[in-house]
């Protein structure tokens, strides 16, 4: 009898986490590595938020809490949904977890039975399909093509829905492409979903505040109120508040679903870190002033890296509207050979050689379901981007 669970045969380790760990390891070993792998802002957590956490420690707020979050945070989350998204929720409709990742995992574990299908538009965040597989479901991938701005059409969505469809996981602004659906484009999709009453919506709005073009963010339950009763609206403090390590994600949705998610959390991890929860209360209730300030910086970096990449022969990089990722295609480089004699057969080989030869760490496109491409997280300094661009250009020019 095997010692390890056969469930593990269905999934692979997270490639985004793996590349970050590998870059760290190489750095510790003395290699000059530029890590553009992890999707996390380089800004420090704003000091009002850190101070709230320190105050919580001094006030002795260091014990267990309710498994899915303190009342004060649930209230702050309800206020956030009302303020930013025009969505009315009560605290019993809210669940707080150790990052957006745990929220999504709980929701899938709480709802999927063998045979249930989950529609995932590609390119997708690496963990969606594997979480579905872990929970015993079947991922159904719809490809958002580069020429369509990486967005899916209502027709493609309709064609993917079967009687077995349980969820669609919808992520805009997108990790890994930075693509953002306009409210009108979302309406096109919700018009389809409105008629398919057995399909639930998991709206992953983690990058809500990171938007650089002149249109408003919209989420599915807001665009189509008829979907409110079968939508889980997911968000978190990691990206907008530079709080990735604090691990606070949250969601709001129908009470029965939230209760089921709480049951899973109560038997697995219990409450997310108490101190982080108090920090998140301050993040959501306190000043939001640094968000537009940070976005000016992100937008400048986006423009910089897109220009650098498009100047490289063989690379085509669309201009994303949000998040802090670019997703260039390397179609023009496939089949070429590196100076050290390795043939670039796919994007996984490309990123491996790029790291070995130049020390630039990025994530290969196949991990996100659309190849050949790679993802750069540009949440780092302009100087870092310029240096990374110089190395990538040198590497590509050296291909023959
Ligand atoms: N969401 C981030 C990324 O895509 C964090 C890493 C992860 O959990 O996948 O890089």
């Amino acid at each position: 009898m095997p010692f390890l669970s056969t469930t593990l045969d269905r999934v692979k380790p997270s490639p985004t986490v793996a590349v970050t760990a590998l870059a760290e390891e190489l750095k510790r070993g003395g290699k000059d590595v530029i890590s553009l792998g992890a999707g996390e802002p380089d800004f420090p957590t704003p000091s009002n938020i850190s101070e709230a956490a320190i105050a919580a420690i001094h006030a002795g707020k260091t014990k267990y809490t309710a498994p899915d979050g303190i009342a004060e945070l649930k209230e702050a989350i309800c206020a956030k949904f009302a303020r930013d998204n025009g969505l009315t929720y009560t605290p019993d409709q809210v669940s707080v977890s150790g990052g957006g990742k745990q929220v999504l995992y709980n929701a899938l574990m709480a709802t999927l039975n063998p045979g249930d299908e989950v529609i995932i538009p590609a390119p997708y965040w690496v963990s969606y399909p594997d979480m579905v597989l872990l929970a015993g479901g079947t991922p159904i991938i719809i490809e958002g093509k580069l020429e369509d701005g990486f967005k899916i059409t209502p027709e493609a969505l309709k064609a993917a829905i079967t009687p077995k469809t349980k969820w669609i996981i919808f992520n805009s602004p997108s990790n890994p492409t930075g693509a953002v659906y306009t409210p009108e484009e979302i309406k096109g999709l919700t018009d389809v979903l409105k008629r398919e009453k057995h399909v639930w919506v998991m709206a992953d709005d983690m990058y809500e505040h990171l938007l650089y073009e002149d249109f408003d963010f919209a989420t599915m339950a807001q665009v189509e109120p008829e979907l409110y009763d079968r939508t889980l609206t997911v968000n978190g403090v990691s990206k907008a508040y530079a709080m990735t390590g604090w691990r606070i994600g949250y969601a709001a949705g129908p009470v029965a679903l939230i209760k089921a998610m709480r049951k899973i959390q109560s038997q697995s991890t219990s409450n997310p870190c108490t101190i982080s929860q108090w920090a998140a209360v301050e993040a959501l209730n306190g000043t939001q002033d640094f968000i537009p300030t940070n976005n000016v910086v992100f937008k400048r970096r986006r423009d910089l890296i897109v220009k650098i990449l498009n100047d490289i022969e063989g690379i085509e990089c669309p201009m994303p509207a949000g998040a802090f990722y670019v997703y260039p295609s390397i179609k023009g480089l496939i089949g070429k050979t590196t100076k050290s004699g390795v043939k670039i057969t796919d994007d996984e080989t490309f990123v491996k050689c790029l790291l070995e030869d130049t020390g630039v760490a990025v994530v290969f496109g196949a991990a996100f379901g659309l190849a050949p491409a790679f993802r750069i997280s540009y949440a780092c300094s302009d100087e870092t981007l310029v240096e990374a661009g110089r190395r990538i250009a040198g590497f590509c020019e050296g291909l023959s």
Side-chain angles (χ1 to χ4, degrees):
M1 206 178 20
F3 175 63
L4 295 178
S5 161
T6 50
T7 304
L8 287 173
D9 299 342
R10 297 202 292 265
V11 297
K12 55 189 181 317
S14 162
T16 48
V17 173
V19 78
T20 312
L22 177 62
E24 273 314 307
E25 194 187 309
L26 292 173
K27 264 187 209 169
R28 269 200 312 276
K31 192 170 165 78
D32 172 20
V33 172
I34 301 180
S35 184
L36 306 178
E40 67 174 345
D42 56 327
F43 304 120
T45 303
S47 58
N48 63 309
I49 298 172
S50 297
E51 289 302 332
I54 293 165
I57 294 174
H58 287 311
K61 293 172 176 169
T62 53
K63 310 287 190 195
Y64 293 134
T65 70
D68 61 353
I70 54 176
E72 289 82 351
L73 181 51
K74 291 188 178 186
E75 274 156 24
I77 290 165
C78 292
K80 174 260 173 288
F81 279 125
R83 173 178 76 227
D84 297 340
N85 312 113
L87 290 171
T88 307
Y89 290 111
T90 49
D92 60 342
Q93 289 180 282
V94 173
S95 188
V96 184
S97 294
K101 224 165 176 169
Q102 193 184 8
V103 174
L104 299 166
Y105 185 71
N106 285 347
L108 293 167
M109 287 300 282
T111 54
L112 293 186
N113 291 308
D116 286 348
E117 295 177 354
V118 178
I119 294 177
I120 303 173
Y124 45 72
W125 177 48
V126 291
S127 293
Y128 296 149
D130 289 76
M131 283 186 185
V132 169
L133 290 166
L134 270 177
T138 307
I140 302 293
I141 309 299
I142 315 180
E143 196 175 297
K145 299 190 172 48
L146 185 143
E147 51 275 26
D148 297 332
F150 300 118
K151 298 181 209 177
I152 59 160
T153 61
E155 295 71 35
L157 173 60
K158 194 167 183 313
I161 295 173
T162 74
K164 291 184 187 163
T165 308
K166 187 155 264 176
W167 290 99
I168 171 172
I169 306 183
F170 184 73
N171 174 224
S172 167
S174 152
N175 176 4
T177 63
V180 188
Y181 288 74
T182 64
E184 296 71 34
E185 286 167 339
I186 294 180
K187 181 83 174 58
L189 300 176
T190 58
D191 280 350
V192 172
L193 294 166
K194 206 164 74 173
R195 289 189 289 272
E196 306 282 355
K197 297 200 187 310
H198 64 296
V199 180
W200 282 58
V201 176
M202 207 175 283
D204 179 352
D205 297 344
M206 192 57 84
Y207 296 88
E208 164 179 14
H209 292 297
L210 305 173
L211 187 60
Y212 315 116
E213 298 302 331
D214 202 19
F215 57 87
D216 288 334
F217 170 83
T219 189
M220 284 209 167
Q222 170 190 28
V223 170
E224 180 45 76
E226 269 189 42
L227 294 179
Y228 177 87
D229 288 332
R230 49 188 167 101
T231 296
L232 184 70
T233 305
V234 182
N235 213 315
V237 295
S238 291
K239 313 295 180 178
Y241 303 94
M243 291 176 71
T244 45
W246 300 76
R247 308 311 301 136
I248 296 292
Y250 56 84
V255 172
L257 171 61
I258 295 295
K259 262 193 185 160
M261 290 163 62
R262 183 195 308 149
K263 193 194 260 187
I264 289 175
Q265 193 155 303
S266 77
Q267 289 289 25
S268 50
T269 61
S270 280
N271 64 274
C273 169
T274 305
I275 301 150
S276 296
Q277 290 190 62
W278 285 102
V281 170
E282 173 61 20
L284 295 176
N285 287 347
T287 174
Q288 308 290 305
D289 288 354
F290 51 85
I291 293 178
T293 312
N294 288 357
N295 282 358
V296 171
V297 178
F298 279 137
K299 187 175 178 184
R300 186 184 68 226
R301 293 171 178 174
R302 174 198 69 165
D303 295 347
L304 176 67
I305 191 67
V306 168
K307 161 122 186 45
I308 290 173
L309 291 168
N310 279 327
D311 283 345
I312 302 173
E313 213 183 304
I315 291 188
E316 180 189 354
C317 184
M319 179 67 81
F324 39 63
Y325 304 109
V326 288
Y327 199 71
S329 163
I330 54 157
K331 231 182 226 160
L333 301 174
I334 296 298
K336 298 199 170 190
T337 303
T338 67
K339 276 186 182 151
S340 42
V342 181
K343 190 165 177 189
I344 307 288
T345 47
D346 52 28
D347 52 25
E348 195 166 358
T349 312
F350 174 84
V351 306
K352 193 167 166 279
C353 293
L354 184 70
L355 179 58
E356 275 165 12
D357 296 2
T358 73
V360 176
V362 297
V363 190
F364 61 99
F368 304 98
L370 190 79
F374 65 98
R375 186 192 79 173
I376 282 182
S377 165
Y378 59 80
C380 57
S381 72
D382 295 25
E383 297 72 40
T384 305
L385 289 176
V386 169
E387 175 57 17
R390 195 187 63 76
R391 294 189 196 184
I392 297 170
F395 176 78
C396 295
E397 277 156 22
L399 298 174
S400 52

